[in-house]
Amino acid sequence: MSRRKTLVSHLGTVFFSLVSVLYILPIFIVLFNSFKKKSFINLQPFTLPDKMTFNGLENYTAAIDQYGFLDAVGWTVFITVGSVLAILICTSMCAWFITRVNNAVTRGIYLLCVFSMVVPFQMVMFTLSLVTDRLGLGTPWGLIIIYLGFGAGLAVFMFCGFVKSIPIEIEEAALIDGCSPLRTFFSVVLPIMQPTYISVGILETMWIWNDFLLPYLTLDIKSYKTISIIIQYMKGSYGRVDMGAIMAALIMAIIPVVVFYLACQKHIIKGVAAGAVKG
Amino acid sequence: MQKAIKRYFPIFVLPTVLAFLIGFIVPFLMGIGLSFCEFTTVTDATFVGISNYVKAVQDTVFLHAFWYTAAFAVVSLVVINVLAFAIALALTQNMRGTNLFRTVFFMPNLIGGIVLGYIWQLIFNGVLAPFSTTLNLNEWYGFWGLIILVSWQQIGYMMIIYIAGLQSIPGDVLEAAAIDGASGPQRLFKVTIPMMMPSITICTFLTMVNGFKLFDQNLSLTAGEPAKMSEMLALNIYNTFYGRTGWEGVGQAKAVLFFILVVALGLIQLRLTRSKEVQQ
């Protein structure tokens, strides 16, 4: 590399380092505000906490004790993990079947799945809440079924794309050797599809974990709240808005996401690239 | 082989299809039907023809939301894609720390829309406070605030797609152009960008549709303040359903129009950019 080029690349590193710091600054501003007394947050959001404004962990205990933030975390984990597992198992089986069995019904299912990917949620939100109400699905358990139904489109589409690339001979050999279709699927097809499971799992996790409107409209929110719902609730409750508790809640909402991201960064980035190419 | 597994239809397909019926097909068909009815619950629905649609297109707040959303979608599309492409170009050069920078730029993408809205509300109100104004007092503060917010959120995502695209361009093509005497900008506009059209198609499509469908961030950042002037289409539909008794049918009609709009935009946009793609 020529000297001029090295200089440019060093300047680039310096420039992007500065930009990166600016980029994560909003999160740090929320972080140090979460340690301030609530009356100082709106007045001086850009000053670090000092002797007068420092509030210790009071805001965190307020968010947890008064608003039940940890319950919301628990329900969000339950709904996300349950729904993603249901989606992965059910839609991969469905996708394998409708790719291998070719008739009018399976082609119809595939087309409907593709169609559902372009339909905005607002189109079905009102009627979906009526349906869940009627069927008594307004619980975290029921919500898993709703997410399976509403998330099926993308998942079936992505799995079908992958199944088409698996040579059919492997499965035929297993079936001829006496494997039942179920055993063929779980011990032959499933291991081959592992990368697609990870991509689909990550895309659906990112969606369900952060989703606000679907659980807000279908869940019985007096008994169950998710993280997004509780934050909206804290802010939207008329009268006294506890800015301190909200800052603490925002930080507690961000931490699991950042940990998840740093732990599975490679898979997340691969999943995003794969999802974009196919979706 | 088909015969052997066909009998297993109930195990393999039925769970997904049943959930799909409950979660999508039935609500979708009911939605189409109810857009022609007046109702507050389904049991009292009466057929009213297209009057809901007439009311929807005569609703000035809805029309304002449409233009506001359209402007937002176009501006956010340009801002996000230009910046994401530029960052992707820079981060595929030989430079120290590119992996760390990618990690940082992508991170906001994983944070939920409601959380994002309240993070930025704090910051914007802090910036505006010395001028003794707030985000809720001017619809254009909300507009540019949302642009900054969604750029912060989506640049990293689009950057990842652009980087994947850039890395798949064969190096010899660029080398050949350089040997033939093409300058830097010429290589960018005549070689790199044409070869990147598939990625550009995807990213512009995604940012456009995201812009039109934006809801959580709109709700948490401004909630449509002042006086519904920063209300976007999705939030307008929501408020029609749940904020005005007797207008549920109109809300559903708006939702159908919104659905048609999103599908039409997607198709037009795919057609426009696909025609500019080149074979590699």
Side-chain angles (χ1 to χ4, degrees):
Chain A
M1 225 192 286
S2 70
R3 189 174 282 173
R4 195 175 146 256
K5 263 194 171 164
T6 16
L7 182 70
V8 169
S9 104
H10 284 319
L11 282 177
T13 306
V14 173
F15 175 74
F16 275 101
S17 305
L18 289 174
V19 174
S20 296
V21 171
L22 277 178
Y23 217 74
I24 43 175
L25 198 61
I27 294 174
F28 279 98
I29 293 176
V30 174
L31 179 68
F32 64 67
N33 274 298
S34 71
F35 296 108
K36 280 191 210 164
K37 288 189 182 125
K38 53 187 162 194
S39 50
F40 292 98
I41 293 170
N42 271 337
L43 291 173
Q44 321 158 334
F46 301 129
T47 52
L48 287 165
D50 56 31
K51 252 190 201 142
M52 192 172 64
T53 60
F54 186 67
N55 203 18
L57 288 173
E58 295 271 308
N59 293 331
Y60 287 84
T61 48
I64 290 169
D65 294 340
Q66 288 169 27
Y67 293 95
F69 192 82
L70 291 185
D71 291 342
V73 174
W75 287 123
T76 311
V77 170
F78 175 81
I79 292 167
T80 308
V81 172
S83 306
V84 171
L85 284 179
I87 288 175
L88 287 180
I89 295 169
C90 295
T91 62
S92 64
M93 290 172 77
C94 176
W96 182 67
F97 188 96
I98 66 173
T99 312
R100 291 303 183 226
V101 177
N102 190 4
N103 59 31
V105 176
T106 58
R107 277 195 300 271
I109 295 173
Y110 180 76
L111 285 178
L112 280 174
C113 284
V114 174
F115 173 71
S116 79
M117 296 196 316
V118 296
V119 176
F121 181 66
Q122 271 69 25
M123 175 64 208
V124 297
M125 69 176 180
F126 187 77
T127 43
L128 181 66
S129 62
L130 293 177
V131 170
T132 48
D133 224 35
R134 180 64 60 85
L135 298 176
L137 293 174
T139 63
W141 298 271
L143 206 58
I144 292 176
I145 299 175
I146 303 300
Y147 271 121
L148 172 60
F150 203 72
L154 175 75
V156 167
F157 179 71
M158 284 183 71
F159 279 119
C160 279
F162 192 80
V163 172
K164 278 179 199 144
S165 72
I166 306 175
I168 197 167
E169 287 78 12
I170 308 174
E171 295 153 27
E172 276 174 343
L175 284 170
I176 290 166
D177 286 348
C179 271
S180 70
L182 267 177
R183 181 131 180 246
T184 309
F185 179 80
F186 282 104
S187 30
V188 178
V189 181
L190 194 145
I192 305 178
M193 291 210 289
Q194 201 198 346
T196 313
Y197 276 99
I198 295 174
S199 299
V200 175
I202 282 180
L203 288 176
E204 304 282 0
T205 305
M206 282 164 55
W207 165 50
I208 297 171
W209 180 273
N210 289 325
D211 200 14
F212 166 70
L213 198 51
L214 196 156
Y216 184 70
L217 293 177
T218 52
L219 265 186
D220 170 18
I221 46 174
K222 283 201 181 101
S223 325
Y224 315 101
K225 291 188 180 67
T226 64
I227 294 176
S228 293
I229 292 175
I230 210 163
I231 289 175
Q232 179 63 18
Y233 171 83
M234 287 165 88
K235 187 75 194 198
S237 53
Y238 292 98
R240 300 173 61 116
V241 174
D242 184 346
M243 278 306 276
I246 289 171
M247 292 299 125
L250 291 177
I251 289 300
M252 286 191 284
I254 293 171
I255 288 171
V257 171
V258 172
V259 171
F260 172 71
Y261 176 49
L262 294 180
C264 334
Q265 197 191 349
K266 254 194 192 136
H267 294 304
I268 290 175
I269 286 180
K270 252 189 226 157
V272 165
V277 172
K278 282 163 187 154
Chain B
M1 171 152 166
Q2 288 207 18
K3 254 190 187 163
I5 56 177
K6 231 176 176 174
R7 289 188 299 123
Y8 282 77
F9 181 84
I11 299 174
F12 277 89
V13 181
L14 217 52
T16 306
V17 167
L18 281 180
F20 191 58
L21 277 174
I22 298 172
F24 180 74
I25 303 283
V26 170
F28 183 82
L29 295 177
M30 271 172 80
I32 302 265
L34 286 178
S35 70
F36 297 102
C37 297
E38 201 177 302
F39 61 95
T40 44
T41 58
V42 182
T43 39
D44 65 356
T46 47
F47 185 76
V48 292
I50 59 161
S51 83
N52 286 333
Y53 288 91
V54 175
K55 271 189 197 164
V57 294
Q58 285 172 346
D59 180 356
T60 50
V61 181
F62 184 59
L63 294 179
H64 178 271
F66 171 77
W67 289 111
Y68 192 82
T69 310
F72 175 83
V74 172
V75 174
S76 69
L77 182 151
V78 173
V79 172
I80 293 172
N81 283 288
V82 168
L83 290 176
F85 192 90
I87 293 173
L89 264 184
L91 295 190
T92 43
Q93 307 300 315
N94 214 333
M95 188 194 341
R96 263 167 201 270
T98 48
N99 278 334
L100 179 71
F101 301 145
R102 282 181 209 178
T103 307
V104 170
F105 289 132
F106 185 77
M107 195 181 60
N109 193 262
L110 291 142
I111 302 172
I114 296 286
V115 176
L116 286 172
Y118 290 127
I119 293 176
W120 283 97
Q121 194 185 54
L122 174 81
I123 292 167
F124 291 139
N125 278 335
V127 171
L128 292 171
F131 307 98
S132 45
T133 180
T134 67
L135 207 51
N136 285 350
L137 292 179
N138 184 323
E139 59 174 308
W140 296 106
Y141 296 161
F143 184 88
W144 291 106
L146 269 178
I147 294 281
I148 293 172
L149 189 160
V150 295
S151 304
W152 192 62
Q153 181 188 15
Q154 290 178 33
I155 279 175
Y157 192 98
M158 303 306 152
M159 174 199 75
I160 295 292
I161 300 174
Y162 282 132
I163 286 178
L166 284 170
Q167 283 169 341
S168 70
I169 297 179
D172 46 358
V173 182
L174 285 167
E175 222 169 279
I179 292 168
D180 286 349
S183 66
Q186 271 177 333
R187 266 175 290 166
L188 175 65
F189 287 104
K190 305 267 161 146
V191 183
T192 309
I193 290 183
M195 297 204 66
M196 286 287 284
M197 278 323 276
S199 308
I200 295 173
T201 304
I202 294 163
C203 289
T204 49
F205 172 74
L206 286 175
T207 41
M208 171 83 116
V209 171
N210 287 345
F212 268 92
K213 296 205 297 200
L214 199 75
F215 179 84
D216 294 1
Q217 292 87 332
N218 191 204
L219 176 70
S220 52
L221 192 71
T222 65
E225 295 289 319
K228 304 198 172 214
M229 294 308 274
S230 71
E231 190 179 69
M232 293 173 64
L233 278 177
L235 185 59
N236 179 277
I237 293 168
Y238 175 86
N239 285 336
T240 312
F241 272 127
Y242 298 100
R244 283 176 97 164
T245 330
W247 276 63
E248 288 84 355
V250 183
Q252 190 58 55
K254 287 179 179 177
V256 173
L257 293 173
F258 182 56
F259 154 65
I260 295 170
L261 175 76
V262 169
V263 172
L265 281 172
L267 290 178
I268 294 168
Q269 219 244 332
L270 279 181
R271 170 95 22 115
L272 276 180
T273 25
R274 275 273 145 81
S275 64
K276 295 210 177 71
E277 280 179 19
V278 290
Q279 292 292 319
Q280 294 202 4

